[in-house]
Amino acid sequence: MTPARRWLVLVVLLVAAAALVVFDRQSSQSAAIVEAVAPRAKAPSVVASAREHAEGAMILPIRPRAPAGNIDDAFATRDWSPPPPPPPPRPIVQAPPVAPPLPYAVIGKKLEDGAWQVFLRREERILVVKTLDTIDDAYRVDEIRPPVMTLTYLPLQQRQTLPIGGSE
């Protein structure tokens, strides 16, 4: 680029800057002239405040600033250690085991030599039991006293009763 061209570019830039300054002054003066117009269907208090604004300069009160959070902690130390592990889950409380329902049906009973015998049916089998007998290695007959018979479920040592009818 030649020196004459450089001077020409500088002069054009100088003229453009001067034009911007002049234009900016004119726009700020025209912005100061503002005419207040009352809205059409507003409440009377709004119209009155618009008239007051048009008549004189309205100065709004200065509102106090609200503090931005806790300023005392702006440079507080922080603990960067990891949080403690969560507590272990509580163990699931299981209900204690319960003996299954008795699989026997009473067919009848008989008093023989002062001791009761009870006739039981399980599926296709018929059993005759008396006190202290063990049935299927799972039940022990503890007592036969009509109207009930008391059995113990041996795996859990739980007592169960089976109605056998009256002592007729």
Side-chain angles (χ1 to χ4, degrees):
M1 192 187 275
T2 64
R5 273 196 161 166
R6 269 190 222 151
W7 279 105
L8 180 64
V9 169
L10 286 175
V11 169
V12 170
L13 288 175
L14 183 62
V15 170
L20 284 175
V21 169
V22 170
F23 179 72
D24 186 44
R25 281 187 185 167
Q26 288 176 354
S27 67
S28 65
Q29 288 175 357
S30 64
I33 303 171
V34 175
E35 192 174 315
V37 177
R40 289 185 192 168
K42 294 275 180 156
S45 62
V46 175
V47 173
S49 66
R51 282 187 194 146
E52 290 172 5
H53 181 67
E55 292 172 0
M58 184 173 178
I59 299 174
L60 297 175
I62 297 174
R63 289 182 279 153
R65 287 188 181 176
N70 192 353
I71 296 174
D72 294 339
D73 291 343
F75 298 102
T77 59
R78 293 199 170 119
D79 184 16
W80 293 102
S81 61
R90 288 188 275 162
I92 298 173
V93 179
Q94 295 181 354
V98 179
L102 291 169
Y104 306 107
V106 177
I107 299 174
K109 63 185 174 303
K110 171 176 126 179
L111 182 61
E112 186 173 301
D113 296 330
W116 285 97
Q117 292 181 342
V118 178
F119 299 94
L120 303 174
R121 179 176 53 94
R122 180 176 186 179
E123 298 169 358
E124 298 298 317
R125 297 181 342 182
I126 300 210
L127 306 164
V128 179
V129 295
K130 60 184 186 304
T131 304
L132 299 179
D133 281 352
T134 301
I135 309 168
D136 297 331
D137 294 326
Y139 292 95
R140 180 182 65 228
V141 178
D142 291 332
E143 182 179 30
I144 302 174
R145 205 180 260 177
V148 294
M149 175 171 69
T150 306
L151 299 125
T152 300
Y153 181 65
L154 296 175
L156 297 177
Q157 294 299 315
Q158 289 184 350
R159 295 182 67 140
Q160 294 176 298
T161 57
L162 181 65
I164 57 172
S167 59
E168 63 268 348

